[in-house]
Amino acid sequence: MMNSRLRSLGLLLTRILWQGLGRLDVLATGLVLWGVSTQGLGAAEPSTGLIRTITAGGVTDVSVTPNVWLFVPAGRPATPFVPAGPFTARWEGAISADLRGDFTFQALAQGALKVSINGALALEAKDTGPALAIGQAVRLNKGTNSLKVEFTSPAVGESMVRLFWTNRETPLSTLPLAQLSHEPTEALRRSALLHQGRDLFLEFRCARCHQTPGSVPELSMDAPEFNGIGSRRQADWMAAWIRDPQTHRAGTPMPAMLSGDGAAAEAAAMAAYLGSLKGEAPAAAASGNVETGKALFEKLHCGACHPSPGTTDLKPHQVSQKEVNAKFTPGALAAFLQKPEQHFRWIRMPNFKLTATEASDLAAYLGSVADPAPVVDTAKAGPDRVEQGRKLVASTGCLNCHALDGVKNEFTAKPLVQLAPASWNSGCLAEAPSAGSKAPRYTLNADQRAALRAFGASDRASLDRSTTADFLERQSVHLNCRECHGQFEGFPAWDHLVGKLKPEWATRFIRGEIAVKPRSWAEYRMPAFPAYAQGLGEGLSTLAGLPPTTAPDPAPSDAAMLAEAGRKLAGANGGFGCISCHSIGEFGATQVFEAPGINLATSFDRLQPDYFRRWLRAPTTIDPASKMPVYFDEEGRSPLPEILGGDGPKTVQAVWEYLRLKDAMTKPE
Amino acid sequence: MIPIMMTPLRTLASAAVATGLLVLSTSAAQPKGSAFRMLQDDFPFQSACIGADFPTNNVALKGYAIRVGNDATVLFDSDTLRMAAGWTGGFINTRGVVFDGNHGQHPQMVGEQKFGVGNGPGVGIPEKGFTDTRPEPFGPIDKSVGHWKGLYVDGMDTILSYTVRGTMVYEKPGSLAGPAGVAFTRTFRLGPPKQGATSIRRHTVRDAFTIQLAEVPDAQVQVGLQAGLPALVFTSGDWSMVVAGTALPKGVEIKVEGSRAFLLVGAGVKATEPFKVTIWSGPKASTSGAIDLAKAAPSLPDFMKGGPRHWPETVNLKGRLATSSTPDGAYVTDSITAPEDNPWKRRVRFGGMDFFADGKRAALCTHDGDIWIVSGIDDSLGNLVWSRFASGLYEPLGLVIVKDQIYTSGRDGITRFVDLNKDGEADYYENFNNDVMSTRGFHEFVFDLQRDDAGNFYFAKANPVNSGGSGFGNEKASRGNGVVCSHAGCLFRVSPDGKTFEILARGFRAPNGIGVRGDGQVTTGDNEGTWVPTSPLNWVDGKAFHGVINSKTPAGVPENYVPPILWLSHSDFCNSNGGQVWVTSSKWGPYRNELLYESYGKSSLFLVMRQDLGDGRQQAAAVRFPLKFTSSVMRARFHPHDGQLYVAGLSEWQSNAARITGFDRVRYTGKPVYGVNAVKVVSDGVELRFSQPLDKASAEDVQNWSGKRWNYIRSENYGSPEVWVSDAKKKGRESLDITGAKLGKDGRSVILKIEGLRPVNQQSLKWDIKAADGTPISQEIQQTIHQIPGRPLSMN
């Protein structure tokens, strides 16, 4: 039986990995947080997602995964914790049904797949190609039913699994996330600790000092560059920050590098030096409009990641803005808001493509509600102090993370390979650093240290293995994707995004390269995360068992005929009337009201064909809150028999062929 | 002899009809490529809220754009009896919700405006000017000053009729063309109709009155005879305007005061013949040519005898039987094929329907402004003949037939139609009651038209929702969003004679459909939006307020908010309502005296199962008839003879309706009905009664029953998320803990024991059981629980 601590941890990990309650700082206080958040949930609430066990080359990795989905490109590892090569995967947990009923499981699989419900075989499939394998009907009881899926990869080549189900009332759909659950196991707990340790190792940029070869993208994560920083940050604030970063932002990966009696003076000297590093001065601050800025703060949902001004209640994932007056030099805040990644490529703050006016309005608002800037010591630091600062910056390790041209980094630390597991409780990881220790001070808690030690005790090969699914799962938490997606009205919920978007489009969109705003009516705007875009964009596919590049989807030979039928279907005169709510290229929607729709000329580039088919067939099965009507009947027939004989799949394909024309789509009736 | 003014346009249309070819010229304002003819050039008028170019903000809220020949149009406002504008070179554009679908605009004149009269009364008392005495600048003006009676259609002529200070005025707007261009004519005839209403009696004016002719600011005016005609000649630079009278009776004068030109009809005027006012504007050099035009003698067609047919063709179609069926086979749908494809390219979107006394024919109005009559309603539906009866109406969405006379409700009120010459087309569009106010708001739909046994009429009016869908009457955002008037979001009752109009209930947003029981008990639906969290079924008791607050909601009223007897979730039961209908038929299965609910958005019909709470309150549940309809389910009536249910609908806003319109019959086949027919909340669960004995084992297996529950948040926001009962911050539905299912002694009732049963906005129950004879019964209900019998009221 499960002990409660284990259960809590499993639940926590599920939430961290999938529902996204937390980040580093949540990880830090996770168990406590979980204790709080169980209140009101009722003891019976299961952990969502399934336990997935993957074994390759004699190594086993256990994790919680949202669904029975997997995509592993040829020659790549299935997860960062197992080597590349043939593998087996097993999903275990429970699937719940509203009412006793007969369900049929269907799957696409590259490899051999076996699905069992309550111990009975529901589906066997092998190397299906694009045609779904269909299992025999199995009876699901009301409530939970045990679900076990076993998969064996092909000896070579790519592996993939996508599992679907259907019954009398439910059109073919992926298994609903909310109906999948699991009981955490000891193996999961152990594995989760390792996963968390690796994540901390990457987020804290440990390898910046303890160097190691590796191909994981986050190994190249940077920190704010020092070139010209004196034009952007106030020296006094830098002094305070260097002295004790945690008091300014709990959970920051920036450690306190100075200790002892001289720390304050040293920090001041370093700040004086950094303050002397002048670069291009920010454009003279246009005096922004505070009220407009406030409206913008609300419109853009800045409050998802930053506490609303005036609230003292700082959620663990939020970054306070109360020090902006002290921190930024005049004009620098507006410049930062316009291009946050300019001096810090892997910054979490995204680029909202603010105009100069918007940036100055927002800066004016933030300045108006932040603490007043302290009176700055106008006495200029003498050259000696600046020189002392320069030496400290070069010798203290700052330059391991912060780029600075022309200054030689004089700090060295042991490469990772020399850090034997036994040593992972001293130095940076010491529970209480000794007074004279030169080790940087992190404020890791016991769980975080345990996680890092678990990672240290591993072969650390996971630093050389990455998957975009893993990247997506971790970074979507760090970047607070779910703080907007799924929280606010009008945002596509996070759960619906996985497996929805074509990776090429998603990557470009997240990178900020798509000029057309899909939800043109929305006041909010999707900001750009340039450094993260590719990993997130591809991860949205691979996590869903879809390839990182959209699978070929050639037009059928009768595409022109179908597209014309699709055009008719899109019209209000004898069709579904798509044009009522959706614009099509330059043709405006005719009756946009209450539920505007996305411009259909963008849909072909945006949507995975499989997602589109399921969406058009039964939108509310994917998103119960959608205003998009369900046109097809229970058997999937179109209500318009005069078009393509009312054949459901053909009707859907016709709309897809029409969408394929993109900007060349002609106006429906 | 009927002196009809034949215009080239009319000649063309008549010739086309005569040869069986409809080669109609396309109006310049018609959107390119549209399959529909939204504006007609073979019919004289279109009613809508219509704007003219001047004076500033000149809008006829209940406007008639009337074709007067020579490609000229006048705009008449029936609220103010004001000839608001005249223009040449076009008609109106197709902006607007029933035309091009635009949300937030209304049609505007197309062409060159020649005269205008600004907002306000168009008729008046001489000593009082034209002051607007209405408490709000909407609705009809003081009836003792002027009252709209209706209009006659005679070929391409339109004859307006109204009273001014007790004198009956008939007016035919027209035009004359000559070298000076086009002049507008207003030909008047005063006096009451003779008995039998085929001609007009001699009349002596008792109280003097005025009729506005034009507003002409910043011009010089010359008053006097021009070529023997009393006239005003306004000049300004190279421009001039002529307002000239022809055959004016003694005591009728053309006057000018300030910038207003008007007609003064003095007390004691004896009127026996028509007289005319000609209005022209153009280059000063053409002034004398305009006066020449005015010399033509006034004449009126013999409009009281009824005009020729506009639409002699019919559309002949076959219906289809048994297009869908309930799983038990007890109910099937038959489709009465709609004339979507018709020679006039009119868009057909049914918004109201009723039967003639013979039961073989029905009349249906379309949101697009037409009335169609279909004959051939019989068992086989094999010979459906559709013909057109009336056109040009202002968005009719309700229709009722009383003593074989058609009444429609539209944005302009209730209109009654008279076919004077019994040729199958309406000749007289009579104002039955126009008291309802109307602003520019595109969303101020007037919904439905029902009657009780005492003959009272009922209809509802929507709030002027803004173009995005939230909030009301934001004139700033768009001129077409309208303003909140006192009638916005109200339900009205009109007396059987049409003379008394009253607000019966308040607090609706967009109640697209009501239900009226014979005894006058009214129900309404409403559409999710501001203050409406999801689709409600309201039980109107006169004192209650139904939830939607706007800026004209009287103080104290919101305190009387009474929740509906049933909520229906927008995601799966009803996202947008239609009407309701009481089962008055004993030939329609076991549901006599029950209430049916129509869902426009889900194109579905529901049985409403009510539970009386004993204190005047009720709570209810709904179960769907699993049938497929041709379009949405919006207006339903029982047939006077065959006793079956007929359902009409359209597709215009969010709906899963397959076609833009449909007319179906829901026919009871006589086979046994398998399903739930009563739902009652009991102290620790819910009792469901079924129409057939149940299989005990399947009925008592809790595995075959499931349920969920959730609440809504009524607020100013658009609609509501579904939230947990235990924590309104959490979105979604919570599962019910059904701990037992017990078959009652009658073998047809099941009592479900539900752990933690509590009052809730929405509870759903779903089952997959068997009848005693093995027939599967798989259904889902949604219900609202206001109170659990036997528990204290404080629970909710």
Side-chain angles (χ1 to χ4, degrees):
Chain A
M1 283 308 290
M2 184 66 44
N3 70 49
S4 64
R5 180 184 156 82
L6 206 65
R7 181 183 177 83
S8 298
L9 181 66
L11 287 164
L12 167 69
L13 291 167
T14 304
R15 291 188 158 251
I16 290 169
L17 290 176
W18 186 241
Q19 296 181 328
L21 263 185
R23 232 185 43 231
L24 287 183
D25 12 29
V26 179
L27 288 162
T29 54
L31 293 174
V32 177
L33 183 89
W34 174 241
V36 173
S37 58
T38 49
Q39 287 174 7
L41 289 181
E45 177 167 322
S47 323
T48 54
L50 301 169
I51 295 179
R52 186 186 67 187
T53 307
I54 290 189
T55 305
V59 184
T60 292
D61 177 41
V62 185
S63 61
V64 175
T65 186
N67 216 316
V68 185
W69 295 330
L70 186 67
F71 184 87
V72 183
R76 309 276 302 166
T79 86
F81 299 92
V82 298
F87 67 94
T88 61
R90 191 172 73 237
W91 288 262
E92 288 165 298
I95 183 163
S96 66
D98 262 6
L99 207 57
R100 180 158 58 198
D102 295 332
F103 287 79
T104 308
F105 287 81
Q106 306 188 13
L108 294 174
Q110 207 53 39
L113 183 75
K114 197 171 130 186
V115 179
S116 310
I117 296 291
N118 296 330
L121 185 67
L123 170 68
E124 264 188 305
K126 193 178 179 191
D127 302 340
T128 61
L132 279 164
I134 301 174
Q136 58 270 35
V138 286
R139 173 142 298 195
L140 264 69
N141 296 319
K142 176 182 165 182
T144 56
N145 299 268
S146 85
L147 169 68
K148 186 173 175 186
V149 180
E150 293 158 288
F151 176 76
T152 306
S153 75
V156 290
E158 67 186 31
S159 304
M160 74 95 71
V161 178
R162 267 171 79 69
L163 186 61
F164 303 87
W165 75 345
T166 180
N167 78 345
R168 201 179 52 198
E169 311 183 318
T170 318
L172 190 72
S173 42
T174 55
L175 310 184
L177 174 68
Q179 287 168 243
L180 298 176
S181 61
H182 67 275
E183 294 282 345
T185 62
E186 179 59 30
L188 174 64
R189 190 196 69 81
R190 276 198 311 271
S191 191
L193 207 57
L194 174 61
H195 284 230
Q196 186 196 357
R198 175 176 177 266
D199 186 59
L200 286 165
F201 185 88
L202 294 171
E203 284 300 312
F204 278 83
R205 293 151 172 83
C206 302
R208 282 281 178 176
C209 293
H210 305 291
Q211 292 191 353
T212 180
S215 58
V216 173
E218 290 103 314
L219 287 174
S220 62
M221 280 167 76
D222 59 353
E225 69 162 314
F226 282 170
N227 295 311
I229 195 166
S231 299
R232 304 189 295 272
R233 298 288 181 277
Q234 302 276 14
D236 283 17
W237 181 85
M238 287 194 280
W241 169 260
I242 293 165
R243 177 70 193 89
D244 190 0
Q246 290 292 335
T247 62
H248 299 275
R249 187 195 302 170
T252 175
M254 164 89 179
M257 299 298 292
L258 305 170
S259 57
D261 294 342
E266 287 174 352
M270 290 163 87
Y273 167 66
L274 294 173
S276 76
L277 299 173
K278 299 297 184 194
E280 195 183 328
S287 57
N289 181 308
V290 170
E291 281 310 306
T292 317
K294 180 172 196 282
L296 203 57
F297 185 93
E298 284 157 15
K299 206 161 83 175
L300 298 179
H301 294 291
C302 303
C305 297
H306 302 284
S308 293
T311 54
T312 50
D313 175 26
L314 187 68
K315 293 181 188 137
H317 72 272
Q318 289 181 323
V319 172
S320 168
Q321 294 164 313
K322 66 184 167 67
E323 295 181 6
V324 294
N325 289 326
K327 177 174 176 178
F328 291 90
T329 57
L333 177 55
F336 168 80
L337 292 170
Q338 260 199 290
K339 200 171 181 196
E341 73 279 14
Q342 188 166 18
H343 301 285
F344 180 6
R345 191 172 129 70
W346 286 86
I347 192 170
R348 287 187 291 146
M349 167 82 179
N351 185 328
F352 281 86
K353 299 179 202 168
L354 301 173
T355 64
T357 312
E358 287 175 330
S360 57
D361 289 346
L362 201 48
Y365 170 62
L366 295 175
S368 76
V369 289
D371 292 347
V375 179
V376 176
D377 177 8
T378 47
K380 265 189 126 181
D384 290 356
R385 200 154 159 229
V386 171
E387 178 54 20
Q388 183 203 0
R390 191 192 66 79
K391 285 181 177 155
L392 283 164
V393 163
S395 62
T396 311
C398 311
L399 303 183
N400 284 55
C401 289
H402 300 273
L404 177 58
D405 298 338
V407 177
K408 190 172 179 298
N409 182 9
E410 288 157 14
F411 177 87
T412 52
K414 282 183 186 168
L416 183 65
V417 69
Q418 290 178 24
L419 297 178
S423 70
W424 285 53
N425 53 15
S426 59
C428 307
L429 293 180
E431 193 176 339
S434 55
S437 168
K438 283 286 184 191
R441 262 71 166 175
Y442 292 94
T443 48
L444 297 166
N445 65 26
D447 291 307
Q448 288 175 313
R449 286 196 303 273
L452 278 162
R453 277 197 291 272
F455 172 70
S458 75
D459 65 4
R460 305 169 198 170
S462 62
L463 294 180
D464 200 24
R465 300 183 198 126
S466 65
T467 72
T468 46
D470 168 68
F471 182 87
L472 175 80
E473 289 199 278
R474 290 185 304 102
Q475 292 303 340
S476 63
V477 173
H478 297 313
L479 298 174
N480 298 333
C481 299
R482 294 169 191 81
E483 294 301 325
C484 288
H485 291 279
Q487 293 294 326
F488 300 119
E489 204 70 24
F491 278 70
W494 180 257
D495 295 349
H496 304 153
L497 289 173
V498 179
K500 170 179 178 176
L501 301 172
K502 282 184 176 162
E504 298 82 0
W505 187 89
T507 298
R508 292 188 58 214
F509 187 60
I510 299 169
R511 204 181 271 146
E513 290 173 352
I514 306 267
V516 178
K517 186 175 171 183
R519 288 173 170 77
S520 54
W521 60 89
E523 288 203 309
Y524 66 81
R525 53 183 96 149
M526 168 73 186
F529 298 83
Y532 300 85
Q534 186 162 2
L536 298 177
E538 291 182 8
L540 286 170
S541 284
T542 54
L543 181 62
L546 292 161
T549 51
T550 305
D553 171 33
S557 56
D558 54 353
M561 179 277 288
L562 289 172
E564 179 53 24
R567 191 180 72 89
K568 176 92 179 148
L569 286 160
N573 179 23
F576 296 140
C578 312
I579 187 71
S580 298
C581 299
H582 294 275
S583 292
I584 297 178
E586 59 181 302
F587 311 115
T590 56
Q591 311 222 357
V592 178
F593 195 49
E594 297 159 7
I598 286 172
N599 191 318
L600 296 183
T602 69
S603 297
F604 186 82
D605 282 341
R606 286 175 57 243
L607 300 179
Q608 293 273 8
D610 161 71
Y611 177 89
F612 169 77
R613 288 191 184 100
R614 288 184 289 111
W615 174 259
L616 186 57
R617 166 69 185 82
T620 46
T621 303
I622 293 176
D623 178 6
S626 174
K627 305 276 184 208
M628 165 107 170
V630 179
Y631 290 103
F632 296 82
D633 69 11
E634 293 79 357
E635 289 82 37
R637 282 187 305 254
S638 157
L640 300 169
E642 53 278 67
I643 300 177
L644 301 169
D647 180 288
K650 265 194 206 161
T651 299
V652 172
Q653 188 66 31
V655 178
W656 186 241
E657 293 310 321
Y658 177 50
L659 298 180
R660 191 191 292 274
L661 302 176
K662 302 195 279 191
D663 287 342
M665 289 167 83
T666 51
K667 193 181 182 182
E669 289 294 322
Chain B
M1 202 186 106
I2 305 170
I4 298 173
M5 293 166 73
M6 291 288 270
T7 64
L9 191 71
R10 182 182 158 78
T11 314
L12 172 69
S14 309
V17 168
T19 55
L21 286 166
L22 274 157
V23 193
L24 302 174
S25 65
T26 304
S27 163
Q30 194 78 15
K32 272 185 198 156
S34 171
F36 304 112
R37 200 166 300 287
M38 295 161 190
L39 301 174
Q40 309 170 83
D41 18 26
D42 56 345
F43 188 74
F45 70 84
Q46 176 61 53
S47 179
C49 172
I50 298 166
D53 292 351
F54 65 79
T56 311
N57 285 330
N58 184 3
V59 176
L61 296 174
K62 292 180 186 168
Y64 287 90
I66 302 170
R67 295 183 186 275
V68 291
N70 298 309
D71 205 16
T73 303
V74 294
L75 176 63
F76 182 78
D77 181 20
S78 64
D79 263 345
T80 57
L81 306 180
R82 170 174 57 104
M83 193 63 80
W87 60 88
T88 59
F91 190 49
I92 54 175
N93 68 21
T94 52
R95 286 287 99 82
V97 68
V98 290
F99 299 105
D100 65 1
N102 184 291
H103 285 163
Q105 291 184 54
H106 54 69
Q108 184 76 12
M109 59 163 278
V110 172
E112 189 186 346
Q113 190 173 343
K114 295 294 187 180
F115 72 89
V117 174
N119 299 343
V123 297
I125 301 169
E127 56 275 19
K128 290 189 179 167
F130 296 96
T131 329
D132 196 347
T133 57
R134 295 174 293 177
E136 294 168 62
F138 317 111
I141 56 168
D142 180 357
K143 280 181 194 156
S144 68
V145 177
H147 185 46
W148 172 238
K149 299 303 246 186
L151 60 76
Y152 293 82
V153 182
D154 186 352
M156 286 301 284
D157 286 335
T158 304
I159 293 88
L160 312 167
S161 67
Y162 48 91
T163 59
V164 189
R165 302 195 81 194
T167 291
M168 186 74 212
V169 178
Y170 297 96
E171 175 185 352
K172 184 181 87 69
S175 74
L176 295 163
V182 175
F184 294 85
T185 60
R186 299 181 67 178
T187 304
F188 297 97
R189 178 78 165 81
L190 309 180
K194 275 186 179 165
Q195 192 69 29
T198 54
S199 61
I200 299 160
R201 283 191 296 178
R202 295 167 63 94
H203 175 70
T204 304
V205 174
R206 195 183 65 201
D207 297 316
F209 62 89
T210 52
I211 297 176
Q212 284 213 69
L213 298 172
E215 275 184 67
V216 195
D218 305 325
Q220 308 241 311
V221 63
Q222 190 187 336
V223 184
L225 290 178
Q226 298 283 343
L229 301 179
L232 307 174
V233 178
F234 296 88
T235 51
S236 174
D238 292 339
W239 173 90
S240 82
M241 173 183 261
V242 173
V243 179
T246 312
L248 299 186
K250 188 162 179 282
V252 177
E253 293 172 70
I254 293 177
K255 308 270 282 184
V256 61
E257 267 179 32
S259 60
R260 288 179 203 276
F262 61 92
L263 193 69
L264 171 66
V265 180
V269 164
K270 292 190 192 319
T272 55
E273 297 298 331
F275 59 94
K276 185 177 80 176
V277 175
T278 302
I279 304 170
W280 172 93
S281 71
K284 196 172 167 183
S286 301
T287 308
S288 62
I291 290 167
D292 288 344
L293 280 174
K295 287 176 185 164
S299 68
L300 278 177
D302 198 359
F303 58 89
M304 286 192 178
K305 288 186 175 152
R309 297 194 71 174
H310 293 85
W311 315 288
E313 301 98 322
T314 56
V315 180
N316 301 342
L317 297 166
K318 283 189 194 318
R320 290 184 302 141
L321 300 182
T323 49
S324 76
S325 168
T326 53
D328 55 18
Y331 293 90
V332 296
T333 46
D334 300 328
S335 169
I336 300 156
T337 317
E340 278 183 59
D341 189 5
N342 60 71
W344 308 278
K345 301 287 178 205
R346 291 293 286 168
R347 183 158 50 190
V348 179
R349 293 182 294 187
F350 295 136
M353 178 268 295
D354 201 359
F355 297 96
F356 290 96
D358 64 13
K360 292 173 187 156
R361 292 175 303 138
L364 296 99
C365 62
T366 69
H367 200 198
D368 309 277
D370 294 321
I371 298 176
W372 292 81
I373 291 176
V374 59
S375 67
I377 296 175
D378 56 22
D379 290 350
S380 74
L381 304 177
N383 183 24
L384 301 171
V385 179
W386 290 90
S387 58
R388 288 179 68 185
F389 178 73
S391 191
L393 309 177
Y394 190 0
E395 300 185 27
L397 285 173
L399 184 148
V400 68
I401 295 179
V402 184
K403 293 184 179 145
D404 274 358
Q405 207 168 9
I406 298 170
Y407 295 67
T408 59
S409 60
R411 288 286 304 271
D412 50 351
I414 302 179
T415 305
R416 177 161 64 187
F417 297 84
V418 185
D419 178 3
L420 294 168
N421 53 7
K422 307 291 178 209
D423 66 354
E425 289 186 14
D427 304 295
Y428 181 33
Y429 295 46
E430 181 187 6
N431 169 26
F432 184 70
N433 184 289
N434 68 339
D435 285 336
V436 68
M437 296 180 192
S438 193
T439 88
R440 289 186 283 200
F442 78 97
H443 193 275
E444 284 178 48
F445 303 108
V446 162
F447 291 119
D448 217 338
L449 186 60
Q450 301 292 342
R451 270 174 95 237
D452 61 18
D453 290 346
N456 294 298
F457 294 82
Y458 299 83
F459 66 94
K461 179 178 171 71
N463 258 290
V465 168
N466 296 328
S467 40
S470 291
F472 306 120
N474 183 0
E475 273 279 7
K476 277 183 199 155
S478 159
R479 286 178 54 181
N481 285 322
V483 291
V484 174
C485 68
S486 300
H487 291 169
C490 293
L491 174 80
F492 313 103
R493 178 163 59 195
V494 173
S495 61
D497 62 4
K499 292 198 170 129
T500 312
F501 169 95
E502 62 185 311
I503 294 175
L504 190 65
R506 296 176 189 277
F508 305 103
R509 180 179 172 276
N512 174 22
I514 62 174
V516 176
R517 199 164 58 185
D519 63 359
Q521 175 60 54
V522 182
T523 56
T524 82
D526 208 343
N527 197 317
E528 174 203 13
T530 301
W531 291 116
V532 186
T534 188
S535 302
L537 171 58
N538 294 306
W539 190 268
V540 174
D541 77 357
K543 296 187 294 291
F545 170 72
H546 297 279
V548 176
I549 300 165
N550 65 27
S551 59
K552 283 280 196 289
T553 306
V557 164
E559 285 75 359
N560 295 325
Y561 171 64
V562 170
I565 63 169
L566 175 65
W567 297 106
L568 294 161
S569 80
H570 46 89
S571 58
D572 44 9
F573 265 52
C574 181
N575 59 317
S576 188
N577 72 295
Q580 305 90 49
V581 62
W582 291 90
V583 183
T584 49
S585 168
S586 53
K587 298 175 185 167
W588 200 72
Y591 300 122
R592 191 176 156 88
N593 296 329
E594 299 291 347
L595 180 63
L596 304 177
Y597 176 95
E598 302 146 48
S599 172
Y600 160 86
K602 300 288 183 192
S603 305
S604 293
L605 181 70
F606 294 92
L607 171 69
V608 178
M609 296 162 285
R610 291 172 297 128
Q611 178 180 16
D612 197 336
L613 292 171
D615 55 0
R617 293 184 308 145
Q618 297 177 80
Q619 57 197 19
V623 66
R624 183 172 168 258
F625 287 85
L627 292 165
K628 286 177 205 162
F629 294 86
T630 305
S631 183
S632 73
V633 178
M634 199 169 111
R635 300 286 179 262
R637 287 191 195 281
F638 280 91
H639 191 277
H641 303 319
D642 74 16
Q644 303 307 308
L645 181 70
Y646 287 70
V647 174
L650 55 76
S651 174
E652 210 177 306
W653 51 100
Q654 285 83 38
S655 172
N656 66 352
R659 306 199 66 93
I660 65 166
T661 204
F663 185 24
D664 295 314
R665 171 167 63 199
V666 182
R667 174 162 51 89
Y668 176 57
T669 62
K671 290 183 184 164
V673 174
Y674 290 84
V676 67
N677 61 22
V679 175
K680 211 163 80 180
V681 178
V682 294
S683 63
D684 58 352
V686 175
E687 182 179 346
L688 302 120
R689 199 183 66 220
F690 288 81
S691 50
Q692 300 292 332
L694 300 177
D695 170 67
K696 187 171 162 69
S698 87
E700 294 196 337
D701 183 349
V702 290
Q703 279 272 315
N704 292 334
W705 299 87
S706 76
K708 296 208 158 109
R709 67 180 174 196
W710 61 97
N711 274 333
Y712 302 109
I713 301 165
R714 177 176 161 255
S715 78
E716 221 166 341
N717 293 337
Y718 187 94
S720 166
E722 295 174 353
V723 298
W724 285 23
V725 178
S726 57
D727 181 355
K729 288 197 184 96
K730 293 207 170 79
K731 287 180 187 168
R733 304 177 174 189
E734 289 172 283
S735 288
L736 286 182
D737 189 4
I738 299 173
T739 56
K742 181 98 183 103
L743 189 65
K745 281 184 192 139
D746 62 359
R748 296 167 184 247
S749 299
V750 178
I751 294 180
L752 294 183
K753 197 166 172 197
I754 297 169
E755 192 63 35
L757 180 77
R758 52 157 295 164
V760 66
N761 292 157
Q762 201 83 77
Q763 177 164 296
S764 72
L765 292 171
K766 201 165 137 182
W767 55 88
D768 199 350
I769 56 172
K770 287 192 180 85
D773 63 9
T775 305
I777 303 176
S778 178
Q779 290 181 296
E780 184 175 5
I781 60 162
Q782 285 194 347
Q783 65 180 145
T784 294
I785 306 179
H786 293 311
Q787 195 193 331
I788 293 155
R791 287 205 202 156
L793 285 173
S794 59
M795 284 297 296
N796 206 5

